[in-house]
Amino acid sequence: MERIGVGLIGTGYMGKCHAMAWNAVTTVYGDVPKPQLIGLCDIPSAAATARAAEFGFAYGTSDWRRLVDDPAIDVISITVPNHLHAEMAIAALQRGKHVWCEKPMAPTLSEAIAMTQAAEASGQVAILGYNYIQNPAIRHARQLLEAGAIGPINHIRIEMDEDFLADPQAPFTWRSEARAGYGALDDFGVHPLSLLWTLFGRPASALFGEMARPYATRPLVGGTKVENWDIATALLRFAGDLTATLQMNRAAWGRKGRIFLQIFGAAGTLLFDQERMNEIMLYRHDGDEANAGFRTILTGPAHPPYERFIKAPGHQLGFNDLKIIECRQLIGRIRGQPSIAISFAEGLQIERQVHAIAKSHRDGRWVGLEA
Amino acid sequence: MERIGVGLIGTGYMGKCHAMAWNAVTTVYGDVPKPQLIGLCDIPSAAATARAAEFGFAYGTSDWRRLVDDPAIDVISITVPNHLHAEMAIAALQRGKHVWCEKPMAPTLSEAIAMTQAAEASGQVAILGYNYIQNPAIRHARQLLEAGAIGPINHIRIEMDEDFLADPQAPFTWRSEARAGYGALDDFGVHPLSLLWTLFGRPASALFGEMARPYATRPLVGGTKVENWDIATALLRFAGDLTATLQMNRAAWGRKGRIFLQIFGAAGTLLFDQERMNEIMLYRHDGDEANAGFRTILTGPAHPPYERFIKAPGHQLGFNDLKIIECRQLIGRIRGQPSIAISFAEGLQIERQVHAIAKSHRDGRWVGLEA
Amino acid sequence: MERIGVGLIGTGYMGKCHAMAWNAVTTVYGDVPKPQLIGLCDIPSAAATARAAEFGFAYGTSDWRRLVDDPAIDVISITVPNHLHAEMAIAALQRGKHVWCEKPMAPTLSEAIAMTQAAEASGQVAILGYNYIQNPAIRHARQLLEAGAIGPINHIRIEMDEDFLADPQAPFTWRSEARAGYGALDDFGVHPLSLLWTLFGRPASALFGEMARPYATRPLVGGTKVENWDIATALLRFAGDLTATLQMNRAAWGRKGRIFLQIFGAAGTLLFDQERMNEIMLYRHDGDEANAGFRTILTGPAHPPYERFIKAPGHQLGFNDLKIIECRQLIGRIRGQPSIAISFAEGLQIERQVHAIAKSHRDGRWVGLEA
Amino acid sequence: MERIGVGLIGTGYMGKCHAMAWNAVTTVYGDVPKPQLIGLCDIPSAAATARAAEFGFAYGTSDWRRLVDDPAIDVISITVPNHLHAEMAIAALQRGKHVWCEKPMAPTLSEAIAMTQAAEASGQVAILGYNYIQNPAIRHARQLLEAGAIGPINHIRIEMDEDFLADPQAPFTWRSEARAGYGALDDFGVHPLSLLWTLFGRPASALFGEMARPYATRPLVGGTKVENWDIATALLRFAGDLTATLQMNRAAWGRKGRIFLQIFGAAGTLLFDQERMNEIMLYRHDGDEANAGFRTILTGPAHPPYERFIKAPGHQLGFNDLKIIECRQLIGRIRGQPSIAISFAEGLQIERQVHAIAKSHRDGRWVGLEA
């Protein structure tokens, strides 16, 4: 296979994360050529040049269209704020680039639809940066579920909580504006929904939503009205007698990166907490009541692709490693290999659910996914 | 103070628990006279006699009315199935006995109302056996909340899960019949509601409910249709921008006695899990970000009335000890001392919420408590 | 069987614990007659009378010899400070009483030997109050080990830590005097040794000890020299290639009642922590590497005699419940039933090991048990 | 500063880890130029060429001396088996290269001394790959200790356990040969000793050792005699009334990468477990007994250099990230910046302690470090 030429738009939290992944993927995996890091876009121009040197890209630019037009570039990482995704992704796809875009897709459903249509029209690979699903622990969970290790699943609970908006004295920012979205629902909710998608491969058929504001105002000049919701709860009904509860809170003191899954089946239960991302807890009913209990499984070489990173079990992957795995999946998809990733079309299903939950909150009643 | 004469109806799981409490309360507390264990009712008569000897009661009988009519008896423990509570409690109250009745009050709201009216008319003490609220850990939590240790509370999550109905091959019993109640909602839901009542002293103003059946049938002869719901979820709105989520599941493999509370405030978070009932987890925001974390507090003499049981911290109370504390509260209430207990009038508020959640489930919309 | 007449000497921490057990044992177990609580000894006389009323004993006295001489008394609980054990136990045994004596036996080995000889000469039951070994979790551990669940055991670590002497400003007391014993070694060390005895049934063949003083002095008038050691470590060699490490620290901030066992076998590992006394952690090597992990087993009815106390699993026994179990074992031994308890003869083996560790500390070399 | 030219000897577990670090350090930190990855050595030659392409090195070779002689190379990573360290490190230092050598230094003390002398003679930077000390959690622990957060330290326990030799049926390998070293003592023991060094900056003054063989033989042809010890325990005395216990076990089923530290001070306790490497547990005595408990601190941007990797707290670093930090420390030391790393001279102190423990085991008595 030819080497892949890479362009990167955005060099913040996620931009740097993409850069680390592009730099590391070949060393870690050994089975793909070293990507050619061509161009990087940031503003101002001087920042772009500086970041290009740090991140190992050949050039920096403040004009993202230069990357889209550069024939040496095959795939573009889009890591800028959500409201810019649609324009960039569509432009890149239309010029024949593959796209690796951070989630969520876009603030509005119509933009997400347009992105999906552009991806389909282009025939290029277009995936979203849902990194949590790449965790070997989550992959193992999926395998266990598929193998029936805990029987047919009947109920799921997912909580996603952080505390960056827990302080009522934290100043008002764009995050609390209506135009930033619903709040916790889209900011966090897409992650649990991506996990549900990964584990079960289908969206909910009916949804109910409730959102809450822990603090009605936040200090700025005087005290500015919070326009969205830092707390969101959703009830989901799936085909086949499966129900789920999602709870999101970005004002949850003490929670730093909690994504807690509880998956209940007819023969056992499976737990996972992102704050201890190298562990799975598994309870299996096997009739030996005196020795039944949740076992804490530490990920290791028995849980691919952990072994690509570390030879010994229990030594732990980190958050950034998940992006390296995701990068390898992207390359695999480009090469036509089986891969785990959420495409634009799948991501659109996730965003439809988000909007349905919000509609339910407004209406105070259950909403079907097509509503 | 005069000694208290005690009658006990029922000698099963909870009946024995009451008996242990009546036998222990004076040794543990030292500040109340030894109760006189007068009469005990069970069927058949021989069982009553045997249990009376074991439990230290003066006589056994198969006729509960004998206890109600016995002038030597001042207080009656009612620990029989729920559908028998109303008749017995009302009869006892009408004959001037104090009543200590296991929860929930009764299968129907009208019975619970009648019980409450009988209690009010009698002027006797009438409390319900909500033992979990007696845990020194819960008392400490209440003190912390009242002292503002985690600021104003804005969100609460409570989960109550066990696995005694998790096995789809577990045979059909009365528990899955409609006449036994809603299922997890009343079987379990009253406990989280009693905790909310204890911690916050008010019922929800609006409630939303969802219930689910993990298994549509259970084996008996052929396969019998399950008539109630082993899984229940409720969303609660309280006055003052407080919201809560309750989740109950009696088909949750691996959960044996989990009651997990998450209480989120503007200055911190408090966690508690009944499966580790001697621990509280507390996170307080104090600005020292580098050293912030959930602290696991082991209960000890600093958490009354733990010190009545054990002199050293971290040595652990057990489930049965909570009933001893409850027994002492009952005696205190009879003596006119300040006490922690849920009266029939308060219990009625809990049951109103249960029925409102069930109504919401049927209607698919939010229900006000008065509805 | 005839009823048992009970005498109790001492009404402090452990005395009350014995009293609770004597009051509860019949209600809990149902298979033994209610003990007759005859006489109780405390000083002054008024306290004895008051405690007798609280604890349900027929009379109180300040003269322990009255109990020893009372023909209505069959068994005597001795719960006074260690240096009084020998005289009382020997007198009781010589008058044909059974003895239930708190641990450790005595400050000196010669006293412990005399107690053991008196027990043997009397033919009465004489056991020590090693309550931790009565935990259903520990019993289950023993069964697992005996069944080979984790293969032949090759290494054990036990830590016992509390923090009641952790504060260097805590005033000097008798506990830090040489005549109180070695310090952590005998104060705590007998518990790990009792667990080793219970699990393996044999003493170490060679021992090495090291003791340390975290604080050389403690405040009193001026600053008084600490004469014993708050920290002790011992290395043990057993026959058959089994080694163990014991670590005791009564100046370990944050530890309230930690007794942490790690038992390593050729096919698995078993962990237990007294601070979570209703849990066992078990790792079994079974070749399924991807799903191997420590399982946390919550005790329940599958772990006798838990079911005597509570019908549902995971609801938790408490520290005081262990004494009730121990009381039932004592009664069983008196009745000639199989029972779990550490006799004076076995306790003497434990104390021999304590003294050998102390000798090793003095000599700086390994000490054989016979040394 | 000029770019650094890098050579890498060895491409196994640790070699790849070094390669990942060299590839990532500039992207992560941004404050050092991208290293020039010059040459890599592995055998056979074809493997070297393949790894060079994967790891991003300009050339591969099977002759390590080519790297040592290459003027474009400034620093050499040595990641081959221990018995090869001395020759390579000394050759590299003599040719003016900086050296980054994996630990432990060498099987014999004389080789370690020669390496240290070569480093001193060369004036080059020579550090050892003690990556665990680079964890932001450990750095924070060190800061806490230095700031007196838990008062003067009086006792430390460290356990290091894995289970790769736990299976008695695991075939005999070089690891169990005498020439591979003492076994767990040097294989694992150097890590706890490196942590003690990092946290306290001084070696023990007296040491006592005990080693054990869980399995006397391992299967090969027939059953081969195990020549070293999979279990090792050491007691350490430091100047100033500080004592420590080290326990190492490479046959501990269920332990995958456990390095558990317990640090006891006069005002608190600090715990850390490498299997949950993003957490510290801290107990501080502050007089508020009712709210005292171990707090679990999740590392985050408040714990440098975590923030170089991830912007949000609680998202977790991985094992490989520690090597990136170590790489940045090495570069810092080369540039004359303050840095955290264990030099050859410091590493020699660690190895002296290892040999003293082994000598104590042989002699059955305490050994001074100079012995």
Side-chain angles (χ1 to χ4, degrees):
Chain A
M1 180 210 180
E2 300 293 311
R3 294 209 173 179
I4 292 178
V6 178
L8 170 64
I9 310 179
T11 64
Y13 183 176
M14 276 300 118
K16 182 170 171 177
C17 194
H18 278 237
M20 289 189 282
W22 284 117
N23 271 284
V25 66
T26 303
T27 307
V28 169
Y29 276 89
D31 61 356
V32 289
K34 201 113 177 114
Q36 289 186 301
L37 308 187
I38 307 292
L40 164 160
C41 171
D42 198 359
I43 50 174
S45 188
T49 305
R51 290 299 92 70
E54 290 167 27
F55 293 1
F57 280 75
Y59 65 81
T61 172
S62 61
D63 177 13
W64 64 269
R65 292 190 182 276
R66 182 173 162 197
L67 304 189
V68 168
D69 290 333
D70 188 335
I73 289 177
D74 303 299
V75 55
I76 291 188
S77 283
I78 301 176
T79 70
V80 289
N82 304 342
H83 68 279
L84 301 172
H85 288 180
E87 183 183 11
M88 291 176 178
I90 292 168
L93 288 162
Q94 286 175 342
R95 276 167 189 77
K97 311 301 187 197
H98 305 294
V99 172
W100 185 13
C101 182
E102 277 306 307
K103 75 283 153 191
M105 296 177 82
T108 68
L109 192 55
S110 59
E111 285 172 298
I113 292 171
M115 289 168 75
T116 305
Q117 290 170 338
E120 281 163 7
S122 74
Q124 300 299 313
V125 170
I127 69 163
L128 295 161
Y130 283 107
N131 50 328
Y132 293 124
I133 67 171
Q134 301 295 347
N135 189 337
I138 296 295
R139 286 201 195 180
H140 185 56
R142 192 173 72 162
Q143 283 187 339
L144 285 170
L145 299 186
E146 285 173 356
I150 59 168
I153 307 308
N154 54 61
H155 193 55
I156 298 165
R157 298 179 190 154
I158 309 184
E159 295 165 90
M160 180 164 179
D161 302 308
E162 299 192 14
D163 66 2
F164 62 86
L165 287 176
D167 189 348
Q169 298 309 315
F172 186 90
T173 69
W174 63 270
R175 283 184 177 279
S176 297
E177 294 178 1
R179 67 189 173 100
Y182 305 116
L185 175 56
D186 37 11
D187 202 8
F188 282 6
V190 293
H191 288 291
L193 288 166
S194 75
L195 288 163
L196 285 174
W197 187 273
T198 301
L199 295 173
F200 300 99
R202 61 184 195 268
S205 56
L207 307 95
F208 185 86
E210 158 78 342
M211 300 197 283
R213 273 185 200 102
Y215 316 120
T217 62
R218 287 188 178 277
L220 186 61
V221 187
T224 301
K225 192 155 175 291
V226 171
E227 295 173 340
N228 54 21
W229 293 267
D230 293 331
I231 298 173
T233 306
L235 309 178
L236 279 65
R237 291 177 184 158
F238 291 81
D241 284 330
L242 172 64
T243 57
T245 309
L246 308 188
Q247 298 188 87
M248 286 72 71
N249 188 351
R250 54 187 195 178
W253 274 122
R255 301 307 196 187
K256 307 301 179 182
R258 179 171 165 94
I259 307 177
F260 186 51
L261 275 82
Q262 299 180 75
I263 304 175
F264 300 103
T269 296
L270 193 150
L271 310 176
F272 170 81
D273 182 356
Q274 177 65 28
E275 282 186 359
R276 287 177 172 166
M277 59 174 267
N278 289 278
E279 302 178 11
I280 288 181
M281 279 183 289
L282 175 65
Y283 182 98
R284 283 201 278 192
H285 171 61
D286 63 1
D288 180 7
E289 205 181 332
N291 294 306
F294 280 97
R295 64 181 72 183
T296 301
I297 303 166
L298 303 182
T299 48
H303 310 97
Y306 177 104
E307 83 291 349
R308 298 284 186 169
F309 293 82
I310 313 171
K311 296 293 174 212
H315 280 51
Q316 297 170 67
L317 300 190
F319 176 82
N320 288 330
D321 293 327
L322 303 184
K323 212 65 180 181
I324 299 173
I325 300 174
E326 189 176 283
C327 184
R328 180 63 187 79
Q329 298 301 308
L330 167 63
I331 295 170
R333 186 157 291 192
I334 291 171
R335 299 169 103 180
Q337 298 169 332
S339 61
I340 294 169
I342 288 184
S343 69
F344 279 20
E346 293 168 308
L348 180 59
Q349 295 287 348
I350 289 171
E351 314 232 346
R352 280 189 197 282
Q353 294 176 84
V354 165
H355 293 290
I357 292 165
K359 178 172 167 48
S360 165
H361 168 71
R362 287 190 304 270
D363 297 354
R365 59 174 185 79
W366 286 88
V367 170
L369 189 53
E370 293 71 26
Chain B
M1 180 210 180
E2 300 292 312
R3 294 206 173 182
I4 292 178
V6 178
L8 169 64
I9 310 179
T11 64
Y13 184 175
M14 277 299 120
K16 182 171 172 176
C17 194
H18 278 237
M20 288 189 282
W22 285 118
N23 271 285
V25 66
T26 303
T27 307
V28 170
Y29 276 90
D31 60 357
V32 288
K34 200 110 178 121
Q36 289 186 299
L37 309 187
I38 308 291
L40 165 158
C41 172
D42 199 358
I43 47 174
S45 188
T49 305
R51 290 299 91 70
E54 291 168 26
F55 294 2
F57 281 74
Y59 66 82
T61 173
S62 61
D63 176 13
W64 64 269
R65 292 191 182 274
R66 180 172 163 199
L67 304 190
V68 168
D69 291 331
D70 188 335
I73 290 178
D74 304 297
V75 56
I76 292 187
S77 284
I78 301 176
T79 70
V80 288
N82 305 341
H83 68 279
L84 302 172
H85 287 180
E87 184 183 10
M88 291 177 178
I90 291 168
L93 287 162
Q94 286 175 343
R95 277 166 188 75
K97 311 301 187 196
H98 305 293
V99 172
W100 184 14
C101 181
E102 278 305 307
K103 74 285 154 189
M105 296 176 82
T108 69
L109 191 55
S110 59
E111 285 172 298
I113 292 170
M115 290 168 73
T116 305
Q117 289 169 340
E120 282 164 6
S122 74
Q124 300 300 311
V125 169
I127 68 163
L128 295 161
Y130 283 108
N131 51 328
Y132 293 126
I133 67 171
Q134 301 295 348
N135 189 336
I138 294 297
R139 287 202 194 178
H140 185 56
R142 192 174 72 161
Q143 283 187 339
L144 286 170
L145 298 186
E146 284 173 358
I150 60 168
I153 307 308
N154 55 60
H155 193 56
I156 297 165
R157 296 179 190 154
I158 308 184
E159 294 164 90
M160 180 163 179
D161 303 309
E162 299 192 14
D163 65 4
F164 60 86
L165 287 176
D167 189 347
Q169 296 311 314
F172 186 89
T173 70
W174 62 271
R175 285 185 177 279
S176 297
E177 293 179 2
R179 66 190 174 99
Y182 304 117
L185 175 55
D186 36 13
D187 202 9
F188 282 4
V190 294
H191 288 291
L193 288 166
S194 75
L195 288 164
L196 285 173
W197 186 274
T198 301
L199 295 172
F200 300 100
R202 61 184 196 268
S205 56
L207 307 95
F208 185 87
E210 158 78 341
M211 300 196 284
R213 273 186 200 102
Y215 317 119
T217 63
R218 285 188 180 278
L220 186 60
V221 187
T224 301
K225 192 156 176 289
V226 171
E227 295 173 340
N228 55 22
W229 294 267
D230 293 331
I231 299 173
T233 307
L235 310 179
L236 278 65
R237 291 177 183 159
F238 292 82
D241 284 332
L242 172 64
T243 57
T245 308
L246 307 189
Q247 298 188 86
M248 285 72 71
N249 189 349
R250 52 187 196 179
W253 273 123
R255 301 308 195 186
K256 306 301 179 183
R258 179 172 167 93
I259 307 178
F260 186 51
L261 277 81
Q262 300 181 73
I263 304 175
F264 300 104
T269 295
L270 193 149
L271 310 177
F272 170 79
D273 182 356
Q274 177 67 27
E275 281 185 0
R276 287 178 172 167
M277 60 173 267
N278 290 279
E279 303 179 11
I280 288 181
M281 278 184 288
L282 175 66
Y283 183 99
R284 283 201 278 192
H285 170 62
D286 64 1
D288 180 8
E289 204 180 333
N291 294 307
F294 281 97
R295 65 180 73 184
T296 302
I297 302 167
L298 302 183
T299 49
H303 311 97
Y306 176 103
E307 82 291 350
R308 298 283 185 168
F309 293 83
I310 313 170
K311 296 293 174 211
H315 280 52
Q316 297 170 67
L317 300 190
F319 177 80
N320 288 331
D321 294 327
L322 303 183
K323 213 63 177 182
I324 299 174
I325 301 174
E326 191 176 282
C327 185
R328 178 63 187 83
Q329 298 301 307
L330 167 63
I331 295 172
R333 185 157 292 190
I334 291 172
R335 302 169 100 181
Q337 299 169 333
S339 61
I340 295 168
I342 288 185
S343 69
F344 279 20
E346 293 168 308
L348 180 60
Q349 294 288 348
I350 289 171
E351 314 232 347
R352 281 190 197 283
Q353 293 176 84
V354 164
H355 294 289
I357 292 165
K359 178 171 166 51
S360 165
H361 168 70
R362 287 191 301 271
D363 297 354
R365 60 173 184 80
W366 286 87
V367 170
L369 190 52
E370 292 72 25
Chain C
M1 181 211 179
E2 300 292 311
R3 294 206 173 181
I4 292 179
V6 177
L8 170 64
I9 310 178
T11 65
Y13 184 175
M14 276 300 119
K16 182 170 173 176
C17 195
H18 278 237
M20 289 189 282
W22 284 118
N23 271 283
V25 66
T26 303
T27 308
V28 169
Y29 277 88
D31 60 357
V32 288
K34 201 111 175 118
Q36 288 187 300
L37 309 187
I38 308 292
L40 164 159
C41 170
D42 199 0
I43 50 173
S45 188
T49 305
R51 289 302 91 70
E54 291 168 27
F55 294 0
F57 279 75
Y59 67 81
T61 173
S62 61
D63 176 13
W64 64 269
R65 292 191 182 274
R66 180 173 164 198
L67 306 189
V68 168
D69 290 331
D70 189 334
I73 290 177
D74 303 299
V75 56
I76 291 188
S77 284
I78 300 176
T79 71
V80 288
N82 304 342
H83 68 279
L84 302 171
H85 288 179
E87 183 183 10
M88 292 176 177
I90 292 168
L93 287 162
Q94 286 175 342
R95 277 166 190 75
K97 311 301 187 196
H98 305 294
V99 172
W100 185 12
C101 181
E102 278 305 307
K103 75 283 154 191
M105 297 176 82
T108 66
L109 191 55
S110 58
E111 286 172 296
I113 291 170
M115 291 168 73
T116 304
Q117 288 170 340
E120 283 164 7
S122 74
Q124 301 299 311
V125 170
I127 68 164
L128 295 161
Y130 283 107
N131 52 329
Y132 293 125
I133 67 170
Q134 300 295 347
N135 189 336
I138 295 296
R139 286 202 196 179
H140 185 56
R142 194 174 69 162
Q143 283 188 338
L144 286 169
L145 299 187
E146 284 173 357
I150 59 168
I153 307 309
N154 54 62
H155 194 54
I156 297 164
R157 296 179 191 154
I158 308 184
E159 295 165 271
M160 179 163 180
D161 303 309
E162 300 193 13
D163 65 2
F164 61 86
L165 286 177
D167 190 348
Q169 297 309 315
F172 185 89
T173 70
W174 62 271
R175 283 184 177 280
S176 297
E177 295 179 2
R179 64 190 175 101
Y182 304 117
L185 175 55
D186 36 13
D187 202 8
F188 282 6
V190 291
H191 288 292
L193 288 166
S194 76
L195 289 163
L196 285 174
W197 186 273
T198 301
L199 296 172
F200 299 100
R202 62 182 194 268
S205 55
L207 307 95
F208 186 86
E210 158 78 342
M211 301 197 282
R213 275 186 198 102
Y215 317 120
T217 63
R218 287 188 178 277
L220 185 61
V221 187
T224 301
K225 193 154 177 291
V226 171
E227 295 173 339
N228 55 19
W229 293 268
D230 294 331
I231 299 173
T233 307
L235 310 179
L236 279 65
R237 291 178 184 158
F238 291 82
D241 284 332
L242 172 64
T243 57
T245 309
L246 307 188
Q247 298 188 85
M248 286 71 72
N249 189 349
R250 52 187 198 180
W253 275 122
R255 300 308 194 186
K256 306 301 180 184
R258 179 171 167 93
I259 308 178
F260 186 51
L261 276 81
Q262 301 181 73
I263 303 175
F264 300 102
T269 296
L270 193 151
L271 310 177
F272 169 80
D273 182 357
Q274 177 65 27
E275 282 185 359
R276 287 177 172 167
M277 59 173 266
N278 289 278
E279 304 178 10
I280 288 182
M281 280 184 287
L282 175 65
Y283 183 99
R284 283 201 278 192
H285 171 62
D286 64 2
D288 180 8
E289 205 182 332
N291 294 306
F294 280 98
R295 65 181 72 184
T296 302
I297 303 167
L298 303 183
T299 48
H303 310 97
Y306 177 104
E307 82 292 350
R308 298 283 186 169
F309 293 82
I310 313 169
K311 296 292 175 213
H315 280 51
Q316 295 169 68
L317 300 190
F319 176 81
N320 288 331
D321 294 327
L322 303 184
K323 212 66 179 181
I324 299 173
I325 301 174
E326 190 176 283
C327 184
R328 178 65 186 81
Q329 297 302 309
L330 167 63
I331 295 171
R333 185 156 292 191
I334 291 171
R335 299 170 102 181
Q337 298 169 333
S339 62
I340 295 169
I342 289 184
S343 68
F344 279 19
E346 293 168 308
L348 179 60
Q349 294 288 347
I350 290 172
E351 315 232 345
R352 281 190 197 283
Q353 293 176 85
V354 164
H355 294 290
I357 292 164
K359 177 172 168 50
S360 164
H361 167 71
R362 286 191 303 271
D363 297 353
R365 60 176 183 78
W366 287 87
V367 170
L369 190 52
E370 291 71 25
Chain D
M1 180 212 179
E2 299 293 312
R3 294 208 173 179
I4 291 178
V6 177
L8 169 64
I9 309 179
T11 65
Y13 184 177
M14 278 299 120
K16 183 171 173 176
C17 193
H18 278 237
M20 289 189 281
W22 285 117
N23 270 284
V25 65
T26 304
T27 306
V28 169
Y29 276 89
D31 61 357
V32 289
K34 201 111 175 116
Q36 288 187 301
L37 309 187
I38 307 293
L40 165 158
C41 171
D42 199 359
I43 49 176
S45 190
T49 305
R51 291 299 93 70
E54 290 168 27
F55 293 2
F57 281 73
Y59 66 81
T61 173
S62 61
D63 176 13
W64 63 269
R65 294 191 180 275
R66 180 173 163 197
L67 305 189
V68 168
D69 290 332
D70 189 333
I73 290 176
D74 303 298
V75 55
I76 291 188
S77 284
I78 300 176
T79 71
V80 288
N82 304 343
H83 68 278
L84 302 171
H85 287 180
E87 183 184 11
M88 290 177 178
I90 292 168
L93 287 162
Q94 286 174 343
R95 278 168 188 75
K97 311 302 186 195
H98 305 294
V99 172
W100 184 13
C101 181
E102 278 306 307
K103 75 283 155 188
M105 297 177 82
T108 66
L109 191 56
S110 59
E111 285 171 298
I113 291 170
M115 289 168 74
T116 305
Q117 289 169 340
E120 281 163 7
S122 74
Q124 301 299 313
V125 169
I127 69 164
L128 295 161
Y130 283 108
N131 50 329
Y132 293 125
I133 67 171
Q134 301 295 346
N135 189 337
I138 295 295
R139 286 202 195 179
H140 185 56
R142 192 174 71 162
Q143 283 187 339
L144 285 169
L145 298 186
E146 285 174 356
I150 59 168
I153 307 309
N154 54 61
H155 193 55
I156 298 164
R157 296 180 191 152
I158 308 183
E159 294 164 271
M160 179 162 181
D161 302 309
E162 300 192 13
D163 65 3
F164 60 87
L165 286 178
D167 190 347
Q169 297 310 317
F172 186 89
T173 70
W174 61 272
R175 283 184 177 280
S176 297
E177 294 179 2
R179 65 189 174 100
Y182 304 116
L185 175 56
D186 38 11
D187 202 8
F188 283 5
V190 294
H191 289 291
L193 288 166
S194 76
L195 289 163
L196 285 174
W197 186 273
T198 301
L199 295 172
F200 299 99
R202 62 182 193 270
S205 56
L207 308 96
F208 185 86
E210 158 78 341
M211 301 198 283
R213 274 186 199 102
Y215 316 121
T217 62
R218 288 187 178 278
L220 186 60
V221 187
T224 301
K225 192 153 177 291
V226 172
E227 296 173 339
N228 53 22
W229 294 268
D230 293 332
I231 298 173
T233 306
L235 309 179
L236 279 65
R237 292 177 184 158
F238 292 81
D241 284 332
L242 172 63
T243 56
T245 308
L246 308 189
Q247 297 187 87
M248 285 72 71
N249 189 349
R250 54 187 196 179
W253 273 122
R255 302 308 196 186
K256 306 301 180 183
R258 179 170 166 94
I259 308 178
F260 186 50
L261 275 81
Q262 301 181 73
I263 303 175
F264 301 103
T269 296
L270 194 151
L271 310 177
F272 170 80
D273 182 356
Q274 176 67 25
E275 281 185 1
R276 287 177 171 166
M277 60 173 267
N278 290 276
E279 303 179 10
I280 287 182
M281 279 183 288
L282 175 65
Y283 183 99
R284 282 201 278 192
H285 170 62
D286 64 2
D288 180 7
E289 204 181 332
N291 294 305
F294 280 97
R295 64 181 72 184
T296 302
I297 303 167
L298 302 182
T299 49
H303 310 97
Y306 177 104
E307 83 291 350
R308 298 284 185 168
F309 292 82
I310 313 170
K311 296 292 175 213
H315 280 51
Q316 297 170 69
L317 301 190
F319 176 82
N320 287 330
D321 293 328
L322 303 184
K323 212 66 180 180
I324 299 173
I325 300 174
E326 189 176 283
C327 184
R328 179 63 187 79
Q329 298 301 308
L330 167 64
I331 295 172
R333 185 156 291 191
I334 291 172
R335 298 168 102 182
Q337 298 169 334
S339 61
I340 295 169
I342 289 184
S343 68
F344 278 20
E346 293 169 308
L348 179 59
Q349 294 287 348
I350 290 172
E351 315 231 347
R352 281 189 197 282
Q353 293 176 83
V354 164
H355 294 290
I357 293 165
K359 177 173 169 45
S360 164
H361 167 71
R362 286 192 302 271
D363 297 354
R365 59 173 185 82
W366 287 87
V367 170
L369 189 52
E370 292 72 24

